Amino acid sequence: MSGYKKWRRKIGLFYWEWNGKTKTWWYFRKKNWNRFFNWIKGWSASVKANPDAIKNAQCLVVCAHPDDETLYFSSVLKDLHPFVICMSNAGSRERVAELNMALEAQNVSGMVLNMPDVPYMAWLWDVLAPRRLQAVAHQCTNVKTVYTHSLSGESHHPHHYATGRAVDKVFAGCKIIKTAEQVPLNGSGRLSDEDRERKLMLLRKCYPSQIKMLEGWYPWWMDYLENEFFGES
């Protein structure tokens, strides 16, 4: 081992050889720092809420990111026309524009709370998400039912289960309904062929930046494309 590498080990910088090149701890955090700075730049990117829509809403969908409202709750949006609260703008004006398009296509209103979309800052969501949500909750005077993510986060995304925990704290007096921990084998949550095609069309039309990634998660993605099953918290 070279003296340079020994020196780096002594000061605690983690490194390893990968494809013949030394990669440091900082290298593998670079993408997440970029996402953090994108969040700063996209701070003002949000869907403007209609005050009357918030005040009159009897049902809410609280999701973590743009596209979650369609991927996990399309049947709720279709049948109940809830008010949608999206916790993060995903650090991108493009994603916010896609969310706005999806809400209009499904004839619902919503807003974005601009939480940072950085997985390694999940602890910040546990601190800030309930406060951000509480600031909106006092306007939701007529809300009786809230749909949100399960505590497993569906895909085990830390922001998803942080959102579920925040809803438990802020809307404790409401009926809270969460996505299933896993898709039931009895087919009770299976969407009709028409609803499934409609959901896929919405994702492809409104979220071109995400559809290739979602389709790359097959077969996990197919479970949530074909099924939407919920249970009371």
Side-chain angles (χ1 to χ4, degrees):
M1 181 181 291
S2 68
Y4 173 67
K5 290 183 178 179
K6 288 180 180 178
W7 173 79
R8 290 175 64 153
R9 173 167 290 181
K10 286 181 180 179
I11 64 172
L13 282 178
F14 182 63
Y15 74 93
W16 60 90
E17 294 290 333
W18 183 39
N19 293 337
K21 297 180 180 179
T22 301
K23 302 296 183 183
T24 67
W25 180 89
W26 295 104
Y27 175 88
F28 288 96
R29 295 299 182 269
K30 181 179 179 181
K31 182 177 180 181
N32 288 290
W33 279 112
N34 285 342
R35 293 174 75 173
F36 174 75
F37 289 119
N38 284 338
W39 164 64
I40 295 295
K41 289 189 293 184
W43 175 262
S44 61
S46 63
V47 175
K48 301 301 181 183
N50 182 336
D52 290 335
I54 301 176
K55 183 178 180 180
N56 297 329
Q58 295 189 9
C59 178
L60 298 179
V61 165
V62 183
C63 61
H65 310 100
D67 78 5
D68 290 337
E69 84 295 331
T70 302
L71 180 58
Y72 302 111
F73 305 100
S74 68
S75 60
V76 178
L77 269 60
K78 177 187 175 184
D79 297 335
L80 301 179
H81 299 284
F83 186 83
V84 176
I85 299 176
C86 186
M87 299 299 293
S88 170
N89 63 16
S92 168
R93 293 180 182 275
E94 178 186 13
R95 295 287 297 278
V96 172
E98 291 175 341
L99 172 63
N100 199 31
M101 189 188 310
L103 295 180
E104 290 181 0
Q106 297 174 85
N107 195 29
V108 295
S109 300
M111 67 185 302
V112 178
L113 299 187
N114 292 344
M115 289 290 295
D117 184 30
V118 185
Y120 285 95
M121 295 178 67
W123 58 270
L124 189 60
W125 280 60
D126 286 328
V127 175
L128 291 183
R131 297 181 184 181
R132 291 277 178 86
L133 208 51
Q134 185 64 60
V136 178
H138 75 275
Q139 304 176 55
C140 306
T141 54
N142 294 316
V143 169
K144 299 177 181 177
T145 307
V146 183
Y147 286 80
T148 191
H149 299 289
S150 70
L151 294 183
S152 69
E154 297 91 33
S155 57
H156 302 288
H157 195 301
H159 297 164
H160 287 207
Y161 51 74
T163 298
R165 288 196 295 267
V167 168
D168 285 339
K169 292 179 181 178
V170 175
F171 293 100
C174 298
K175 181 179 180 180
I176 299 175
I177 300 177
K178 296 183 178 179
T179 55
E181 297 289 330
Q182 59 185 18
V183 175
L185 297 178
N186 62 11
S188 57
R190 191 170 182 83
L191 297 176
S192 67
D193 291 342
E194 179 183 353
D195 286 344
R196 187 166 64 252
E197 288 301 319
R198 175 179 176 272
K199 181 176 183 175
L200 182 58
M201 180 274 292
L202 285 168
L203 288 168
R204 285 177 171 164
K205 176 183 177 181
C206 302
Y207 290 103
S209 70
Q210 300 300 297
I211 191 65
K212 288 185 179 179
M213 178 186 69
L214 289 172
E215 290 177 339
W217 287 351
Y218 181 89
W220 168 87
W221 131 273
M222 291 302 296
D223 283 343
Y224 286 102
L225 175 63
E226 297 179 352
N227 302 272
E228 289 184 9
F229 186 79
F230 306 99
E232 290 191 40
S233 175

